Amino acid sequence: MSEPLLRIDDLVVEYPVTGGVFRALDSISLSVDKGTCLAVVGESGCGKSTLAKSIVRLVRPTSGRICIDDVDIATMSERKLKPYRSRIQMVFQDPYGSLDPHLSAVDIVAEPLRLRGVRSKSERETRAAALIDRVGLPSTALHRKPAEFSGGQRQRIGIARALASEPELLVCDEATSALDVSVQAQVLDLLREIRHDTGLTYVFISHNLGVVREISDTIVVMQSGRIVESGSTAEVLARPTQPYTAALRAAALDPTTMVGVKPRNVVSRLGATGTATPTSRGAA
């Protein structure tokens, strides 16, 4: 039996707003076993990205626990958190905005190595070049800048940069949503291959149930900052118990196309009875 690499207990995140606070995450609890992939799905604004940012500690939780191998990092100081930064890495949604436009691909991927104490520039560049090759980019890409790459190629560079830290947990926050269908499939194949080869653990944030079905073992469904359903991906998507999950599933196209109606557009059709108004399969 595998052991949880990540365990979250009663996580709450609140943001100050005029006249009070907004609770973005409300008592979230979940666990992710080593070597597995957990998908987090839900409509826009449900708290998915806040959860992702909390896991990598870009957001400091209001209360609750975020444990990596039973060590709570939720309220750690930056000094104590530093060793955990390399163990938990993130691939961001926007492959255009997440890379420094002034650096070459090899320098972008080498930067985490410098931060980890690899002093030799030649060693950093050699290791960065190997990672760029690992994600399927040619050697001619090494000294090109982000503007010279396609969106899918930039996302591959982002993945290589994350791998440079040799993480145990990779958080993918809508990492394929900005890509077209064929490129989504290529990036998913790459993530599956990396997981197979390295045993890397994933938390995969997405609104696209076709993508989720392709990559994840387990799933949690979020609504208004809370988890409303969870279980094995195959079971939850085949036999959802909550009307909200059924509405999300109704929004999805055939998984082989990996595109679909934004969940918020379908969830907004839910009536007071909690049943979804029938939608055309494949509507935009």
Side-chain angles (χ1 to χ4, degrees):
M1 293 292 290
S2 58
E3 299 177 356
L5 173 63
L6 170 69
R7 193 182 77 252
I8 296 175
D9 298 318
D10 294 321
L11 189 67
V12 173
V13 173
E14 294 177 334
Y15 297 118
V17 295
T18 302
V21 295
F22 170 71
R23 181 163 288 197
L25 296 181
D26 189 0
S27 301
I28 296 292
S29 295
L30 57 84
S31 65
V32 188
D33 289 346
K34 293 179 180 178
T36 67
C37 176
L38 169 74
V40 181
V41 303
E43 64 181 316
S44 297
C46 71
K48 303 188 303 293
S49 289
T50 297
L51 177 60
K53 291 173 183 176
S54 298
I55 292 171
V56 299
R57 273 294 307 273
L58 293 178
V59 168
R60 191 182 183 96
T62 304
S63 64
R65 291 162 53 87
I66 302 171
C67 296
I68 301 295
D69 283 338
D70 288 329
V71 177
D72 185 10
I73 67 169
T75 57
M76 269 188 182
S77 67
E78 284 299 320
R79 182 179 62 81
K80 290 183 177 180
L81 188 62
K82 187 175 180 180
Y84 291 89
R85 291 289 189 193
S86 62
R87 296 181 65 185
I88 311 168
Q89 288 292 299
M90 190 166 182
V91 178
F92 295 89
Q93 176 178 358
D94 181 9
Y96 300 94
S98 60
L99 303 179
D100 189 328
H102 304 293
L103 296 181
S104 66
V106 70
D107 288 337
I108 289 170
V109 178
E111 181 67 8
L113 298 171
R114 184 186 67 80
L115 295 174
R116 292 179 60 208
V118 180
R119 295 185 178 182
S120 167
K121 183 178 180 180
S122 62
E123 181 181 352
R124 292 198 303 266
E125 290 185 348
T126 298
R127 290 169 64 173
L131 286 167
I132 289 171
D133 177 71
R134 176 70 184 81
V135 299
L137 292 177
S139 59
T140 54
L142 295 178
H143 299 291
R144 290 156 54 191
K145 294 183 178 179
E148 301 175 68
F149 294 100
S150 68
Q153 289 172 326
R154 294 182 201 189
Q155 201 61 293
R156 289 173 184 267
I157 294 170
I159 293 169
R161 176 180 60 185
L163 295 178
S165 295
E166 298 183 358
E168 297 170 52
L169 176 65
L170 191 62
V171 179
C172 301
D173 186 13
E174 297 277 12
T176 63
S177 67
L179 309 176
D180 66 36
V181 173
S182 61
V183 178
Q184 282 188 36
Q186 293 168 14
V187 172
L188 285 176
D189 285 343
L190 173 62
L191 290 171
R192 275 194 296 259
E193 181 182 321
I194 290 169
R195 178 182 163 198
H196 178 268
D197 292 345
T198 66
L200 194 59
T201 304
Y202 291 156
V203 173
F204 195 89
I205 312 292
S206 182
H207 68 266
N208 191 319
L209 298 192
V211 168
V212 163
R213 184 183 282 109
E214 291 291 310
I215 197 169
S216 66
D217 304 296
T218 55
I219 188 171
V220 297
V221 181
M222 291 187 63
Q223 181 183 22
S224 301
R226 300 184 66 89
I227 293 175
V228 296
E229 189 161 3
S230 63
S232 76
T233 301
E235 180 68 21
V236 169
L237 295 186
R239 288 173 287 277
T241 62
Q242 299 297 315
Y244 179 80
T245 309
L248 293 180
R249 192 183 71 164
L253 286 175
D254 187 296
T256 58
T257 67
M258 299 185 193
V259 293
V261 179
K262 287 282 188 178
R264 62 176 177 269
N265 295 335
V266 168
V267 173
S268 65
R269 302 186 185 112
L270 281 170
T273 60
T275 58
T277 302
T279 59
S280 172
R281 187 174 179 83

